[in-house]
Every structure is written in structure tokens, then in C-alpha cells.
Amino acid sequence: EVQLVESGGGLVQPGGSLRLSCVASGFTVSNNYISWVRQGPGKGLEWLALSYSNGDTHYADSVKGRFTISRDNSRNTVFLQMNSLRGDDTAVYFCARGRGAAGGTFDYWGQGTLVTVSS
Amino acid sequence: EIVLTQSAASLSLSPGERATLSCRASQSISSYLAWYQQKPGQAPRLLIYDASNRATDIPARFSGSGSGTDFTLTISTLEPEDFAVYYCQQRSNWPWTFGQGTKVEIK
């Protein structure tokens, strides 16, 4: 069974950092695309970052230079390092497996982890 | 950035009725559109990919159509479990973007 489990969310002050983890089971991240998507409180979905199976990455402009996606294939885990956090980064963060060309269709999602940026 | 506009913020319908949801792209995205369903407190679930292909285990009452800039998700006969928020999403151009969602609520 394919599963994705996020962790690492919590309360952080503006300007602070957090690292989110996404542990996969039922498939190997090494040959799959994994994205991070977030949802602000009462808001819609926003794609943030993609990790290609070959290790390349792609980012939304809103997080480029602040967030870094990476993977540890030995742990079947993808990470999202978030720096210089702002209030508008408050959201539930989901990781999702991508299918199709460049992994742009998300067929499995984790349950999400809540990040709250507040002083 | 491609903007996806879901014309209805909400639809009020009864079980057994037909639901027709629309999504318009700000420029042509060919057939690179997906639809997701999200219930409160849950992650989105993929329903339709590449405009008209049902994802694994999605009931036949869900269908998608369209290409270019105009797309439709149809739920032929609403079941109680179909009342949720539906999002469209494009993968034609970076950054991938979502529509703002349409809430299908019980009338």
C-alpha cells in the first residue's frame, strides 16, 4: 500500500526555520517525483516544490531561495527545509507523489503537517 | 503564471442530482488538467487526470472533459459522500497551479 507520512510541523517564530519530512512506503522515492503542496487556513492549494527522480528540483517563486527540497533515498524520505519563515507561510503542508510528465499529477498524498508562523 | 478560474465558489445540490463544475485556464493548457476532491480535514484525492482519465478506483459517475482553456468535471448522480470541495490543477506550465475550488454542498 502506498503511503506518505509527513512530520516536523509546529509553531515557529517569524524568521525562523523548520524542516519537514515525508516518509514514503509502498514505493521507492528514488524513482519517483515528489512534490510539496501547502494549504493556508481556509484557503486553496499551492504547489511549492518538486524533487525529480534524478535529483533535480523546481520551485514556486513564492518559496524560491527560502525553501529547499531534498531526498534521502536510503531512508525513502523527502525533506522540505524552510528558512526565513513568514506569517503567510502558515499552512498545512502536504507531500504528494507525482505521476505523468514531470510528475505534475499528484496521485497519492500524505495527511499533512501544520506549520504555524507566529510570535 | 497560468490562472485557473473555477466559476462557482459553491454549488448547492441534492443527492441524486447531476453536478457540473467548470474550470477555465488563462491560456491554453492542452489536456494537462487534473481534478481533485477534498473533504474537511483530509488530503486531496485525485479524481481525473489529463482532463478525462479517471484515476484508480474512482467511480464511473465522475467524468472529465475539455481541452485548451475550458474544462468540466461532471458527477452524474451525487452520492452523499460526494459533498466536498473540488479543485482543478494544471501541469502545462511552471508553476503548477490550482483553481480556487468549488464547494459542492447539500441543498
Side-chain angles (χ1 to χ4, degrees), chain A residues 16-101:
Chain A
S17 298
L18 273 180
R19 188 175 84 153
L20 306 183
S21 300
C22 170
V23 179
S25 57
F27 72 101
T28 55
V29 299
S30 61
N31 55 10
N32 278 275
Y33 303 104
I34 303 292
S35 277
W36 286 93
V37 176
R38 71 183 176 187
Q39 186 168 35
K43 295 186 178 178
L45 300 162
E46 180 187 14
W47 171 81
L48 300 176
L50 165 70
S51 175
Y52 287 88
S53 53
N54 66 0
D56 288 348
T57 58
H58 207 99
Y59 297 93
D61 285 347
S62 60
V63 303
K64 196 176 296 182
R66 298 191 300 127
F67 291 10
T68 302
I69 189 170
S70 61
R71 58 174 66 200
D72 182 340
N73 291 333
S74 67
R75 294 162 60 185
N76 219 31
T77 300
V78 176
F79 303 99
L80 186 68
Q81 176 67 42
M82 306 187 295
N83 299 330
S84 303
L85 284 162
R86 313 184 297 226
D88 60 358
D89 294 317
T90 294
V92 175
Y93 285 72
F94 298 98
C95 62
R97 189 178 78 169
R99 311 304 288 170

Side-chain angles (χ1 to χ4, degrees), chain B residues 11-20 75-83 104-107:
Chain B
L11 291 175
S12 188
L13 296 166
S14 299
E17 288 193 298
R18 182 183 188 91
T20 303
I75 311 172
S76 59
T77 305
L78 280 165
E79 298 289 341
E81 62 267 28
D82 298 336
F83 292 91
V104 177
E105 52 190 14
I106 300 176
K107 187 173 181 179

Side-chain angles (χ1 to χ4, degrees), chain A residues 39 52 58 102 104 106 109-110, chain B residues 36 38 43-44 87 89 94 96 98:
Chain A
Q39 186 168 35
Y52 287 88
H58 207 99
F106 310 120
W109 298 64
Chain B
Y36 300 86
Q38 188 179 33
Y87 294 95
Q89 176 248 329
W94 302 104
W96 297 330
F98 292 84

Side-chain angles (χ1 to χ4, degrees), chain A residues 45-47 61, chain B residues 1-6 23-34 68-71 88-100:
Chain A
L45 300 162
E46 180 187 14
W47 171 81
D61 285 347
Chain B
E1 173 174 318
I2 292 178
V3 176
L4 297 178
T5 301
Q6 296 183 243
C23 176
R24 175 166 288 179
S26 58
Q27 65 188 74
S28 178
I29 58 171
S30 186
S31 296
Y32 300 132
L33 188 99
T69 59
D70 290 300
F71 300 86
C88 55
Q89 176 248 329
Q90 66 82 23
R91 64 174 182 87
S92 174
N93 285 39
W94 302 104
W96 297 330
T97 51
F98 292 84
Q100 79 279 19

